[in-house]
C-alpha cells in the first residue's frame, strides 16, 4: 500500500493534443503559491526523453506527438533538482521532505493544468507508476512517496541530489559485450562521458579473450564459422554430384580452421578497441565491483585497484558456461569458452547438455568427421518448439551424432594426458540405477549458463538480483531496483539471450538516457536461429506455448515438408526439411508462430519476423508471391493444416 | 457416342486416335457445339507453371479439364517434356547450374576452413548436365502423374483455335483432334528471341532453350544480351570454369534498379566474366576448325571487332508463343508491338470466356509463381465462386547471378519518379557476410538498400538485396512490404545474428546523409 495512493483515474479534460514545444501549459494560475518555475512544460519534456518511449507499445510517436522525437523539442534545459508531479490536494509530505533537505522542488499539479491527463498518461508510460506524486531527481525516476522516503533513508536521495558533474563519468558500463558496447558507443555519440569496464575471467581451462564479449569471442561468430566449415564439408560431398571432380578423401584440419577463425576474432577485438577510441569512450580492462552508491572499484590483471564514479551505470556482464559440480568437471572438461580456440582437434567428443549451444557444437564437430555423442538429461532445446527440436535431433542422429538420452554424468576421470587426452566418463540414468561408462578425448559441457552478477558488489548498492538465477530483474526501460543502475543483455531477467537483442536494448537505453529518443526495446516476436547442421529458424510462439496461451481449438497450424531444389541433384534426403506456422483463428488467422527447419533458416526467418511485426496473417501469406526456386517460398503455399491429419510428405517434386 | 464423330482431318492418324479416345473415354466435339455439349468445362493451352496450376485447381473443383501442351523443338532441335519453361529450360535447371557454380566457390573456400582439397578442382559438364536433366525428367514425370491423379486429360498436341470455343490439336505424327470447351485459358508462355537479322544467328547460335540440355560443355561462350537470363547463364558458365564473355548493347537488367544492376555486373566482372559493353553483334560464321567467329560493332565508335568462341548464346529477350494459335479465329486481341495477349484485371481477353495468364500476357511479370497464383485465382473465380483478383504489385523476385540480387517493390529510380526526390529516403549499407571473412572473399558488392517514403512513418516502397541467398532473404520482407511495413517497423525487428538478412533490419544510414554506409563490427 502506498502511503498516499493519490489520484489514479484518468482526468476528464479533453483537449486537442498540444504541440509539446509551443504548448502553453501549465498556464499561469490566477492565484496560488509558488509560481511554477518558468516554462515547467519544457522541464517535463526534458524528463520524457530520458525515460519515456511510447512508440513500441502505443505508437504515439508516430501518430500523436510526432515531434517528440525531433531533437529541437528535446533540447530543453535539463531539469536539475527534484521534480514532482502530483495533484494540488497533497503530496504525502514529499515536498516537505525536499524542503527539509534545503532543496527547492518543482511541482506540477496535474489537476490544475490543461492536458494534465496527457501528462499523467505520459508519466505512467514513462515510469509504470500510475499514482501521484511521481518524483524525479536529476532526471532519475525515484517513484512515489514510499520510494522517495526509502531513498531518503538509504541515502540514495541525497546522492541523487548532488550535481551530475560531481561524477567522473556520465555513464559507466560494466561489461564489454554486444550490449555494453552498443550502449557505450551510442552514449558517446550523444556527447556523454562514458567508460567501459571489461574483464574476462579466464575459464577453468585458462582460456581468455579480448574485447567484445561472448558473441564475438566464444559465441555466435566462431560457432557460425565452424558451422560454415561443417556445411562446406557437406558442400564438398554435394559438389561431386554437380560435376566437380576431385579425390574422394578430403580431410579436415582443425588447426587451420581454428587459426583462421581466431585471426578473424582478433581483428574484431581490435575493431572494437578502435571504435571505442574513435568515440572517446574510456576503455579499462579491469574487473568492476560496486563499492558504494555511484562508485565502482576497477581491479586490473595485476591487482591494481582504481575507483571511478558515475551518474549512471549499465550492467552488461553477460553469462558464462555452467559446470556440473561433479568430480573432475572443472579439471578435465571444456566448455564453449574453450572449444573455439582449442589448439588441437578435440577428437572423440562427449557433449553434455541439449541446449542450442550443445547441439550446435555437436553438429559441427560431427560435420568435421569426429565421433560425437550428446548426453541429454531430458528434452532437447528447452523453450523451443518441441516438434522442431525433435526434428533437429533426428536429423543430427541420421548424420552420425549419437544421442544418450536420460543420462547425466557423475564423474570424469583422466586416463591419459595429451592433446587431446583420454577421459573416462561415468554417467547414471535419470530414471533408474543404471550406470554407463565411456571413454572420450574431450568432454564439452553445454548444460546452461550462469549470469555474472554475484561478485560485483551489487548488494552494496542494493541492486536486487534473482537469488536463484543470479539475473537482474529490470522494468521495461531496463532499470534495476536502483534507479540509476540499468541492466541489458543476458544478465537481465526474462529477456531473450541474444546478441541483437542486447545491442538493440543497449542502444535504445543510451538514447533514452541521454535524450535522443523515447523508444523502448520491443522484446516481442524476437526471431532466432539455431545453427545445427539443419538450421532451425523461428519467430513467435512454440506450438506448446501457443496452445497453452490460446487453447488448441483457437489455433490453426499449417505445415509441410519440403525438399530444397539444391538437395535433389545432390541426392540428399526428401521429407526432412519442414515448415510450420501457427495461426490464431480468433484474430484473423494472425501468424503467432513461425518455424522452419532447412538450409539458410536464418536468412529465411528474418524477413518473416519483420512481417510478423507488421501483423502478418495467413491471408497475407497466401496473397504473397513466392520467389522461385527458394526454400522461403514454401510459406506462401501452405495448405495442409495439422488438424486435417493429411499427409505432408512430398512425392516427386 | 454420337459425339465420337470427331472431325478429323489427318487420315493416317484417324484409327489410332479413335482407339485412344475410346480408351480414355474422351468425347470429341462437333464444331460449334453448344454450351453443355462441349467436351470440357475448361481447356488449358500450355502445360507450363500457369497452365498446370489452372488445370489442377479446376479439377480439384470438380470440373472436367484438359491440358494441351506441345514443345516446338528449338532451332537447334532441343525439346523437352511437360512442365513448361520453368521446369525444363528456366528456373529449375538454371538454379541447379547456379548451385553447381556456387559449389565451385565453396570448394575454393574450403581450404580456408580446414578442408584439405587440392586446388584447382576441374568440373565435368557432362556429369552436371546429366544430373540436372535427370532431375528435370523426374519433374516432367511428376507433372504427368499429378494430372493423372486429378483426372485432368493431357494431350501432347500443338493447338490452334478453330473458333472461339474449339481448338484443333496436331500431334507429333500429324494426326489432328478437335477439342471444345466452355472456358479456355491460354498459357503458352514465351520462347527466346532470335536476332534473325544477324547472319548466322539462327544457324550457329543457341538460346536458353538449349544450354541446359547440352550433352557437352559449351566451352568458350559468348552470351549476347543483358537480360537476367543472359547474366545468370554467363554467371554459372564462368563459375564452372568456362571462358565467358557477355555482350551488352545498352543497359544491364532493364527494369531493375540500376544501381543494383551495375553492382551485379561489377561483381561478375571481378569474378572472371568478361564484358563487351556498348557492342552489338553483326554476324556469326563457322570457321573451318569448327569454332564460331563473331563479328561485332562498337556502337559508339562504329569500329568492328571479331572474336572466336565455341558457343554463342542469345539471351536478348523472349517472344510470346502466340503465332501458331490462330488467335484471330477466336477473336482474341494481341498487342501489335509485342504480340502478347491483352487482358483485363480478371485475366479476361477480348473474348469473354477466353482467358490468358503467364508470360504470354501483355504487361505481367514473367515469373513462375505469378503465373501459378494468377492461374489459381482465375480458376477459383471461374469455378469456385471467388472474386479475388490477382495483385501484381510488390512481386518479389531474385536474379540468380553469382552474387544473388533479390528485390521487391519499387526501384530507386521508379520511387523517385513516382514520389519525387525530396519525398524518398533511401537507407543503405555495404556489409560483409561472416562466411566471407575467413574465406578471404571480397565483399565489395554485398549491399542492401531500402527505398522508403521520407515522411513518417516512412512506408517501405522497395527493398534491394545483393548478397548470398538473396532469394531466401527477400521472401519474408516481401510479406512485410505487403503488410505495409514502415521503416520504423522494420527497424524494430530484432536481427538474427549472424546472418546476412539482419543487415536489412540494421539499416540506419540514409543516402541523403552522405555518411559512409559500410557496416563495421557486428
Amino acid at each position: 500500500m502506498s502511503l498516499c495512493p493519490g489520484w489514479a483515474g484518468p482526468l476528464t479534460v479533453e483537449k486537442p493534443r498540444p504541440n509539446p514545444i509551443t504548448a502553453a501549459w501549465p498556464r499561469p494560475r490566477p492565484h496560488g503559491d509558488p509560481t511554477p518555475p518558468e516554462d515547467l512544460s519544457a522541464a517535463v519534456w526534458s524528463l520524457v526523453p530520458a525515460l519515456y518511449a511510447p512508440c513500441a507499445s502505443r505508437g504515439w510517436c508516430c501518430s500523436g506527438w510526432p515531434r517528440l522525437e525531433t531533437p529541437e523539442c528535446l533540447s530543453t534545459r535539463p531539469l536539475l533538482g527534484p521534480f514532482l508531479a502530483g495533484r494540488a490536494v497533497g503530496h504525502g509530505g514529499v515536498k516537505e521532505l525536499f524542503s527539509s533537505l534545503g532543496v527547492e522542488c518543482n511541482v506540477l499539479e496535474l489537476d490544475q493544468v490543461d492536458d494534465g491527463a496527457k501528462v499523467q498518461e505520459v508519466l505512467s508510460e514513462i515510469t509504470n507508476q500510475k499514482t501521484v506524486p511521481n518524483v524525479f531527481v536529476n532526471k532519475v525516476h525515484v517513484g512515489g512517496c514510499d520510494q522517495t522516503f526509502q531513498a531518503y533513508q538509504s541515502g540514495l536521495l541525497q546522492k541523487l541530489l548532488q550535481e551530475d558533474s560531481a561524477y567522473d563519468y556520465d555513464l559507466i558500463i560494466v561489461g564489454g559485450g554486444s550490449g555494453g558496447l552498443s550502449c557505450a558507443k551510442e552514449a558517446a555519440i550523444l556527447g556523454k562521458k562514458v567508460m567501459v569496464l571489461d574483464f574476462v575471467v579466464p575459464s577453468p581451462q585458462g582460456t581468455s579473450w579480448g574485447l567484445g564479449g561472448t558473441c564475438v569471442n566464444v559465441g555466435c561468430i566462431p560457432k557460425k564459422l565452424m558451422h560454415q566449415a561443417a556445411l562446406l564439408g557437406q558442400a564438398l560431398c554435394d559438389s561431386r554430384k554437380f560435376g566437380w571432380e576431385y579425390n574422394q578423401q578430403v580431410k579436415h584440419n582443425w588447426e587451420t580452421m581454428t587459426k583462421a577463425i581466431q585471426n578473424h576474432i582478433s581483428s574484431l577485438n581490435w575493431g572494437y578497441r578502435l571504435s571505442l577510441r574513435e568515440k572517446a569512450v574510456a576503455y579499462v580492462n579491469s574487473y568492476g565491483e560496486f563499492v558504494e552508491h555511484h562508485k565502482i572499484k576497477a581491479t586490473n590483471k595485476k591487482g591494481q585497484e582504481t575507483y571511478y564514479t558515475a551518474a549512471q551505470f549499465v550492467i552488461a556482464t553477460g553469462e558464462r558456461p555452467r559446470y556440473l559440480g561433479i568430480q573432475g568437471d572443472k579439471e578435465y572438461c571444456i566448455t564453449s569458452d574453450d572449444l573455439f580456440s582449442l589448439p588441437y582437434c578435440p577428437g572423440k567428443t562427449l557433449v553434455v547438455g541439449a541446449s542450442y549451444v550443445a547441439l550446435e557444437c555437436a553438429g559441427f564437430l560431427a560435420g568435421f568427421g569426429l565421433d560425437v555423442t550428446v548426453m541429454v538429461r531430458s528434452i532437447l532445446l528447452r523453450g523451443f518448439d518441441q516438434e522442431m527440436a525433435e526434428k533437429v535431433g533426428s536429423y543430427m542422429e541420421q548424420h552420425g551424432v549419437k544421442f544418450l538420452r536420460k543420462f547425466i554424468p557423475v564423474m570424469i576421470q583422466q586416463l591419459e594426458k595429451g592433446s587431446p587426452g583420454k577421459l573416462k566418463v561415468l554417467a547414471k540414468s535419470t530414471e533408474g540405477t543404471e550406470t554407463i561408462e565411456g571413454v572420450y578425448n574431450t568432454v564439452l559441457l553445454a548444460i546452461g549458463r550462469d549470469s555474472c552478477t554475484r561478485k560485483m558488489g551489487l548488494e552494496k548498492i542494493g541492486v536486487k538480483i534473482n537469488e536463484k538465477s543470479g539475473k537482474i530483474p529490470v522494468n521495461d526501460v531496463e532499470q534495476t531496483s536502483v534507479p540509476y543502475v540499468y541492466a541489458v543483455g543476458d544478465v537481465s531477467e526474462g529477456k531473450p539471450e541474444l546478441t541483437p537483442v542486447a545491442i538493440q536494448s543497449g542502444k535504445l537505453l543510451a538514447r533514452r538516457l541521454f535524450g535522443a529518443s523515447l523508444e523502448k526495446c520491443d522484446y516481442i516476436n524476437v526471431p532466432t536461429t539455431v545453427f545445427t547442421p539443419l538450421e532451425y529458424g523461428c519467430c513467435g510462439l512454440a506450438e506448446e506455448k501457443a496452445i497453452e496461451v490460446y487453447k488448441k481449438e483457437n489455433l490453426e497450424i499449417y505445415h509441410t515438408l519440403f525438399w530444397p531444389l539444391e538437395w535433389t541433384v545432390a541426392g540428399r534426403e526428401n521429407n526432412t526439411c519442414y515448415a510450420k506456422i501457427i495461426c490464431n483463428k480468433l484474430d484473423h488467422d494472425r501468424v503467432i508462430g513461425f518455424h522452419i527447419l532447412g538450409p539458410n533458416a536464418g536468412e529465411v526467418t528474418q524477413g518473416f519476423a519483420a512481417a510478423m511485426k507488421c501483423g502478418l496473417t495467413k491471408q497475407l501469406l497466401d496473397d504473397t508471391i513466392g520467389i522461385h526456386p527458394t526454400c522461403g517460398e514454401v510459406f506462401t503455399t501452405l495448405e495442409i493444416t495439422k488438424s486435417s491429419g493429411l499427409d505432408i510428405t512430398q512425392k516427386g517434386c | 457416342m454420337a459425339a465420337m464423330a470427331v472431325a478429323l482431318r489427318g487420315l493416317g492418324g484417324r484409327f489410332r486416335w479413335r482407339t485412344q479416345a475410346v480408351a480414355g473415354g474422351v468425347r470429341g466435339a462437333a464444331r460449334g457445339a453448344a454450351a453443355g455439349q462441349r467436351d470440357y468445362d475448361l481447356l488449358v493451352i500450355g502445360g507450363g507453371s500457369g497452365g498446370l496450376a489452372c488445370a489442377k485447381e479446376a479439377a480439384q473443383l470438380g470440373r472436367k479439364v484438359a491440358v494441351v501442351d506441345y514443345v516446338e523443338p528449338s532451332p537447334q532441335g532441343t525439346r523437352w517434356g511437360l512442365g513448361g519453361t520453368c521446369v525444363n529450360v528456366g528456373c529449375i535447371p538454371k538454379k541447379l547450374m547456379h548451385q553447381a557454380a556456387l559449389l565451385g566457390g565453396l570448394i575454393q573456400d574450403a581450404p580456408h576452413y580446414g578442408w584439405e582439397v587440392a586446388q584447382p578442382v576441374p568440373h565435368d559438364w557432362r556429369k552436371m548436365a546429366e544430373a540436372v536433366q535427370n532431375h528435370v525428367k523426374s519433374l516432367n514425370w511428376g507433372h504427368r502423374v499429378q494430372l493423372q491423379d486429378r483426372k485432368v486429360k493431357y494431350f501432347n498436341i500443338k493447338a490452334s483455335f478453330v473458333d472461339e470455343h474449339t481448338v484443333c490439336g496436331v500431334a507429333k505424327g500429324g494426326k489432328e483432334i478437335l477439342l471444345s470447351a466452355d472456358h479456355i485459358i491460354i498459357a503458352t508462355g514465351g520462347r527466346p528471341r532470335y536476332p534473325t537479322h544477324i547472319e548466322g544467328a539462327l544457324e550457329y547460335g543457341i538460346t536458353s532453350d538449349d544450354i541446359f540440355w547440352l550433352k557437352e560443355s559449351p566451352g568458350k561462350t559468348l552470351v549476347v544480351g543483358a537480360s537476367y537470363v543472359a547474366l545468370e547463364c554467363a554467371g554459372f558458365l564462368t563459375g564452372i570454369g568456362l571462358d565467358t564473355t557477355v555482350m551488352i548493347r545498352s543497359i544491364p537488367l532493364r527494369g531493375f534498379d540500376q544501381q543494383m544492376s551495375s553492382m551485379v555486373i561489377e561483381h561478375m566482372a571481378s569474378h572472371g566474366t568478361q564484358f563487351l559493353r556498348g557492342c552489338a553483334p553483326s554476324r556469326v560464321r563457322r570457321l573451318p576448325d569448327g569454332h564460331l567467329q563473331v563479328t561485332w560493332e562498337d556502337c559508339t565508335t562504329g569500329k568492328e571487332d571479331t572474336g572466336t568462341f565455341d558457343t554463342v548464346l542469345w539471351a536478348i529477350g523472349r517472344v510470346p508463343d502466340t503465332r501458331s494459335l490462330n488467335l484471330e479465329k477466336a477473336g482474341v486481341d494481341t498487342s501489335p508491338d509485342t504480340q502478347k495477349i491483352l487482358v483485363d484485371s480478371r485475366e479476361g481477353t477480348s473474348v469473354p470466356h477466353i482467358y490468358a495468364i503467364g508470360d504470354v500476357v501483355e504487361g505481367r511479370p514473367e515469373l513462375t509463381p505469378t503465373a501459378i497464383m494468377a492461374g489459381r485465382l482465375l480458376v477459383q473465380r471461374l469455378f469456385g465462386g471467388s472474386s479475388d483478383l490477382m495483385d501484381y504489385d510488390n512481386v518479389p523476385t531474385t536474379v540468380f547471378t553469382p552474387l544473388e540480387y533479390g528485390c521487391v517493390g519499387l526501384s530507386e529510380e521508379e520511387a523517385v519518379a513516382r514520389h519525387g526526390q525530396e519525398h524518398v529516403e533511401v537507407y543503405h549499407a555495404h556489409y560483409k557476410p561472416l562466411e566471407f571473412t575467413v574465406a578471404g572473399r571480397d565483399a565489395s558488392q554485398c549491399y542492401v538498400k531500402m527505398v522508403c517514403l521520407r515522411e513518417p512513418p516512412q512506408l517501405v516502397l522497395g527493398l534491394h538485396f545483393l548478397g548470398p541467398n538473396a532469394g531466401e532473404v527477400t521472401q519474408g520482407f516481401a510479406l512485410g512490404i505487403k503488410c505495409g511495413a514502415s521503416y520504423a517497423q522494420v527497424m524494430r525487428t530484432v536481427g538474427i545474428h549472424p546472418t546476412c538478412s539482419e543487415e536489412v533490419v540494421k539499416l540506419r544510414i540514409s543516402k541523403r546523409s552522405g555518411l559512409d554506409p559500410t557496416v563495421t563490427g557486428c
Side-chain angles (χ1 to χ4, degrees):
Chain A
M1 266 305 277
S2 176
L3 292 172
C4 44
W7 168 80
L11 287 174
T12 49
V13 192
E14 278 292 333
K15 283 259 168 102
R17 278 181 179 152
N19 180 323
I21 302 159
T22 54
W25 64 263
R27 297 228 173 95
R29 276 169 287 170
H31 48 257
D33 46 353
T35 324
E38 178 238 355
D39 200 3
L40 191 50
S41 67
V44 178
W45 291 111
S46 80
L47 291 169
V48 166
L51 298 138
Y52 170 56
C55 298
S57 52
R58 295 272 182 91
W60 278 3
C61 278
C62 312
S63 54
W65 285 321
R67 302 204 54 185
L68 268 185
E69 272 191 315
T70 61
E72 304 94 83
C73 92
L74 301 179
S75 61
T76 48
R77 287 130 294 176
L79 182 78
L80 296 177
F83 166 78
L84 146 66
R87 54 171 190 159
V89 292
H91 304 107
V94 173
K95 228 156 81 176
E96 291 71 21
L97 173 66
F98 283 118
S99 326
S100 75
L101 290 168
V103 185
E104 197 181 334
C105 180
N106 300 312
V107 182
L108 176 64
E109 307 293 9
L110 292 177
D111 52 356
Q112 296 189 1
V113 295
D114 291 349
D115 292 285
K118 291 294 171 220
V119 180
Q120 171 87 4
E121 212 173 330
V122 169
L123 285 174
S124 78
E125 274 284 340
I126 295 174
T127 60
N128 279 338
Q129 178 189 324
K130 289 203 176 70
T131 57
V132 289
N134 204 336
V135 180
F136 296 81
V137 177
N138 284 337
K139 294 172 92 175
V140 170
H141 177 236
V142 178
C145 282
D146 291 357
Q147 289 93 333
T148 309
F149 279 98
Q150 275 163 21
Y152 169 65
Q153 275 148 23
S154 73
L156 175 61
L157 195 63
Q158 294 84 328
K159 275 271 180 199
L160 286 173
L161 284 167
Q162 291 175 3
E163 289 249 331
D164 284 15
S165 57
Y167 301 115
D168 302 337
Y169 290 92
D170 294 317
L171 179 66
I172 290 180
I173 290 156
V174 193
S178 312
L181 292 178
S182 79
C183 188
K185 284 187 251 180
E186 197 66 20
I189 288 169
L190 296 169
K192 296 295 156 180
K193 199 176 168 196
V194 185
M195 169 179 273
V196 171
L197 289 174
D198 185 55
F199 189 83
V200 179
V201 179
S203 78
Q205 294 295 317
T207 313
S208 139
W209 50 85
L211 183 63
T214 299
C215 166
V216 171
N217 294 284
V218 291
C220 327
I221 299 297
K223 78 100 182 283
K224 177 103 193 267
L225 288 170
M226 290 201 175
H227 170 63
Q228 174 70 5
L231 289 183
L232 286 173
Q234 177 71 57
L236 287 174
C237 294
D238 288 358
S239 67
R240 287 190 197 91
K241 298 267 173 51
F242 281 89
W244 295 98
E245 294 185 316
Y246 55 90
N247 233 337
Q248 196 75 25
Q249 286 306 314
V250 180
K251 283 214 179 71
H252 185 259
N253 185 319
W254 173 274
E255 289 83 358
T256 308
M257 172 190 69
T258 315
K259 213 173 143 199
I261 292 174
Q262 289 304 320
N263 280 343
H264 176 62
I265 292 174
S266 302
S267 78
L268 291 176
N269 295 148
W270 177 243
Y272 283 123
R273 290 285 291 271
L274 218 60
S275 81
L276 287 186
R277 198 179 302 166
E278 276 167 7
K279 300 195 165 73
V281 173
Y283 162 64
V284 178
N285 186 200
S286 293
Y287 188 87
E289 199 180 340
F290 287 95
V291 286
E292 60 183 81
H293 274 300
H294 291 280
K295 191 168 185 183
I296 198 160
K297 178 174 83 181
T299 312
N300 71 8
K301 229 183 279 179
K302 294 174 191 154
Q304 290 164 337
E305 295 173 353
T306 318
Y307 293 86
Y308 302 101
T309 60
Q312 309 198 70
F313 288 83
V314 172
I315 302 168
T317 46
E319 296 182 316
R320 296 291 291 271
R322 183 179 302 156
Y323 278 81
L324 285 160
I326 59 168
Q327 192 188 328
D329 69 344
K330 285 201 174 162
E331 292 94 312
Y332 308 123
C333 297
I334 64 166
T335 67
S336 56
D337 278 358
D338 310 296
L339 179 67
F340 303 110
S341 57
L342 206 63
Y344 53 85
C345 177
K348 183 181 174 186
T349 303
L350 175 71
V351 178
V352 181
S355 61
Y356 75 88
V357 180
L359 298 190
E360 288 176 342
C361 292
F364 64 69
L365 291 175
F368 305 146
L370 301 180
D371 180 333
V372 181
T373 307
V374 182
M375 187 177 285
V376 182
R377 186 183 59 183
S378 60
I379 59 166
L380 303 182
L381 297 177
R382 188 176 300 279
F384 287 91
D385 187 287
Q386 282 303 297
E387 181 188 25
M388 303 304 288
E390 280 305 316
K391 283 181 186 285
V392 166
S394 79
Y395 181 86
M396 289 176 68
E397 212 157 5
Q398 281 159 27
H399 287 76
V401 179
K402 284 168 273 187
F403 281 85
L404 277 173
R405 294 280 195 122
K406 298 199 160 65
F407 275 96
I408 47 169
V410 287
M411 189 172 70
I412 320 284
Q413 273 181 323
Q414 191 174 52
L415 299 177
E416 265 175 43
K417 282 192 174 179
S419 309
K422 254 187 199 166
L423 301 171
K424 186 166 93 177
V425 180
L426 190 68
K428 74 169 173 49
S429 164
T430 56
E431 293 184 317
T433 52
E434 191 191 348
T435 59
I436 49 167
E437 235 179 62
V439 177
Y440 302 89
N441 296 118
T442 299
V443 177
L444 174 76
L445 302 181
I447 53 169
R449 299 173 65 82
D450 290 320
S451 35
C452 309
T453 52
R454 308 228 191 234
K455 288 176 186 156
M456 55 182 304
L458 291 178
E459 67 291 346
K460 296 220 175 87
I461 56 167
V463 173
K464 289 204 180 79
I465 63 169
N466 178 325
E467 278 312 322
K468 207 168 152 235
S469 67
K471 292 212 173 200
I472 304 175
V474 292
N475 61 15
D476 66 344
V477 288
E478 281 82 31
Q479 196 175 30
T480 69
S481 57
V482 175
Y484 67 89
V485 180
Y486 298 81
V488 296
D490 294 2
V491 85
S492 54
E493 186 175 61
K495 303 286 156 67
E497 296 181 13
L498 297 167
T499 289
V501 173
I503 292 176
Q504 185 125 332
S505 60
K507 186 184 272 183
L508 293 177
L509 171 61
R511 288 191 193 169
R512 291 193 307 271
L513 288 179
F514 303 114
S517 156
L518 313 169
E519 193 181 339
K520 287 180 198 171
C521 189
D522 181 356
Y523 294 99
I524 294 165
N525 286 342
V526 172
T528 189
T529 295
V530 181
F531 291 100
T532 36
L534 194 58
E535 300 175 9
Y536 164 39
C538 60
C539 184
L541 299 182
E543 191 175 332
E544 301 81 359
K545 187 73 189 169
I547 290 172
E548 187 189 315
V549 176
Y550 295 98
K551 303 279 174 287
K552 195 166 185 167
E553 61 271 22
N554 298 325
L555 299 176
E556 196 71 272
I557 296 163
Y558 295 86
H559 66 161
T560 189
L561 292 160
F562 65 97
W563 199 18
L565 177 64
E566 296 74 14
W567 284 31
T568 57
V569 165
R572 287 161 77 177
E573 57 273 63
N574 195 353
N575 294 316
T576 301
C577 297
Y578 180 67
K580 166 165 98 173
I581 57 162
I582 302 163
C583 302
N584 179 3
K585 284 197 275 193
L586 301 182
D587 183 19
H588 310 93
D589 268 339
R590 198 166 306 285
V591 178
I592 56 170
F594 173 97
H595 303 270
I596 180 168
L597 184 67
N600 300 307
E603 306 295 359
V604 175
T605 306
Q606 184 71 76
F608 287 95
M612 282 173 74
K613 270 268 174 288
C614 311
L616 181 62
T617 61
K618 178 67 169 71
Q619 185 63 48
L620 276 159
L621 276 171
D622 294 345
D623 289 349
T624 300
I625 291 170
I627 299 179
H628 192 60
T630 62
C631 295
E633 67 176 325
V634 72
F635 287 98
T636 62
T637 54
L638 287 174
E639 281 182 339
I640 299 180
T641 63
K642 224 175 189 183
S643 56
S644 74
L646 290 174
D647 184 20
I648 53 165
T649 55
Q650 303 287 301
K651 294 162 204 88
C653 57
Chain B
M1 297 296 278
M4 279 299 297
V6 185
L8 294 172
R9 282 184 217 135
L11 277 173
R14 183 181 174 113
F15 176 71
R16 238 177 302 162
W17 170 244
R18 285 177 69 108
T19 355
Q20 259 189 351
V22 172
V26 176
R27 297 178 304 150
R31 182 180 276 230
Q37 295 166 353
R38 296 189 188 108
D39 305 338
Y40 296 98
D41 296 324
L42 176 67
L43 174 67
V44 180
I45 308 175
S49 314
L52 292 176
C54 289
K56 288 189 268 185
E57 190 75 16
Q60 215 147 26
L61 292 168
R63 296 305 169 134
K64 195 173 171 201
V65 187
V67 172
V68 301
D69 184 53
Y70 184 83
V71 180
E72 189 74 47
S74 77
Q76 298 297 323
T78 312
R79 53 170 68 237
W80 51 85
L82 183 63
T85 300
C86 168
V87 170
N88 295 283
V89 289
C91 325
I92 299 296
K94 82 84 186 289
K95 177 113 193 254
L96 287 170
M97 292 199 178
H98 168 65
Q99 174 71 2
L102 289 183
L103 286 168
L106 295 179
I107 290 171
Q108 287 171 25
D109 286 356
H112 296 278
Y113 283 90
W115 295 99
E116 295 171 341
V117 195
Q119 309 275 347
V121 175
H123 184 264
D124 181 352
W125 172 279
R126 274 173 300 181
K127 206 168 165 195
M128 170 187 73
E130 199 192 335
V132 169
Q133 290 158 17
N134 282 341
H135 178 64
V136 169
K137 285 172 188 163
S138 79
L139 294 179
N140 296 148
W141 177 246
H143 283 304
R144 289 287 288 271
V145 171
Q146 281 181 25
L147 290 185
Q148 222 156 19
D149 285 352
R150 291 175 199 203
K151 308 224 172 355
V152 174
K153 184 68 193 169
Y154 163 65
F155 297 96
N156 186 199
I157 54 175
K158 187 173 178 177
S160 58
F161 279 94
V162 176
D163 62 39
E164 56 175 38
H165 278 289
T166 316
V167 162
C168 170
V170 185
K172 220 196 257 175
K175 51 196 189 285
E176 294 191 357
I177 177 182
L178 285 187
L179 300 167
S180 65
D182 293 341
H183 301 275
I184 298 175
I185 296 175
I186 305 168
T188 48
R191 294 293 290 269
R193 179 200 309 265
Y194 264 91
T196 41
H197 61 282
I198 296 172
E199 179 194 329
L202 201 62
E203 268 168 283
Y204 305 122
I206 66 166
T207 66
S208 58
D209 277 0
D210 309 294
I211 183 93
F212 306 110
W213 294 91
L214 293 181
K215 296 262 185 289
E216 300 294 330
S217 166
K220 184 182 176 191
T221 304
L222 174 70
V223 178
V224 182
S227 61
Y228 75 89
V229 179
L231 298 184
E232 287 176 344
C233 290
F236 71 69
L237 292 174
T238 308
I240 58 171
L242 300 179
D243 181 335
T244 311
T245 305
V246 182
M247 190 181 293
I248 298 178
R249 192 213 300 261
S250 60
I251 62 161
L253 295 177
R254 191 179 296 278
F256 287 90
D257 186 284
Q258 281 303 299
Q259 183 196 8
M260 304 305 286
S261 302
S262 57
M263 291 176 87
V264 166
I265 299 277
E266 225 172 80
H267 177 268
M268 288 178 70
S270 67
H271 286 75
T273 308
Q274 297 146 65
F275 284 90
L276 288 167
R277 299 290 297 266
C279 295
S282 44
R283 65 180 172 274
V284 183
R285 282 191 184 141
R286 189 181 286 285
L287 298 174
D289 63 1
H291 287 104
L292 299 175
Q293 189 191 55
V294 181
T295 307
W296 65 83
E297 190 186 302
D298 187 311
C299 299
T300 46
T301 64
K303 243 178 69 186
E304 271 206 348
D305 209 344
T306 62
T308 311
F309 302 91
D310 296 311
T311 300
V312 176
L313 176 77
W314 306 112
I316 53 169
R318 297 174 65 82
V319 286
D321 217 354
T322 50
R323 267 163 308 166
S324 58
L325 283 173
N326 262 339
L327 289 175
E328 60 288 351
K329 285 246 174 103
V332 173
D333 290 345
T334 56
S335 153
D337 299 334
T338 62
Q339 271 74 55
K340 288 191 172 190
I341 297 173
L342 300 169
V343 298
D344 56 23
S345 63
R346 296 170 303 106
E347 330 299 348
T349 67
S350 48
V351 183
H353 61 274
I354 301 179
Y355 305 84
I357 56 157
D359 296 3
V360 79
V361 180
E362 174 75 12
R364 299 290 196 227
E366 296 184 10
L367 296 166
T368 287
T370 327
I372 293 176
M373 191 179 286
R376 293 181 57 176
L377 289 173
L378 167 61
V379 168
Q380 282 164 14
R381 288 195 301 272
L382 290 179
F383 305 119
S386 155
S387 57
D388 291 349
L389 290 180
M390 174 75 184
D391 175 7
Y392 287 98
D393 281 341
N394 294 326
V395 173
T397 189
T398 294
V399 181
F400 291 101
T401 37
L403 197 62
E404 300 175 8
Y405 165 37
C407 60
V408 55
L410 300 185
S411 66
E412 190 176 340
E413 299 85 356
E414 183 65 25
V416 167
R418 283 199 205 176
H419 301 281
Q421 186 80 56
E422 69 281 13
H423 296 295
V424 173
E425 192 80 279
V426 177
Y427 294 92
H428 65 159
H430 278 286
Y431 66 98
K432 186 162 195 168
L434 177 62
E435 294 75 12
F436 278 31
T437 57
V438 165
R441 287 204 194 193
D442 173 35
S444 315
Q445 287 87 24
C446 290
Y447 179 75
V448 52
K449 81 174 172 187
M450 192 150 77
V451 182
C452 308
L453 279 179
R454 199 173 173 197
E455 284 78 27
Q458 299 191 293
L459 201 71
V460 180
L461 302 173
L463 177 70
H464 303 270
F465 182 93
L466 192 55
N469 299 304
E472 306 295 1
V473 172
T474 309
Q475 183 70 74
F477 288 104
L479 274 148
I481 289 179
K482 193 116 194 152
C483 302
S486 66
Y487 170 74
Q489 277 170 317
V490 175
M491 290 309 110
R492 275 206 292 278
T493 307
V494 175
I496 299 178
H497 192 60
T499 61
C500 295
S501 53
E502 69 176 323
E503 303 301 340
V504 177
V505 302
K506 285 166 35 182
L507 287 170
R508 292 296 191 284
I509 307 280
S510 69
K511 269 196 177 174
R512 186 171 269 111
S513 74
L515 295 171
D516 178 12
T518 308
V519 175
T520 54
C522 84

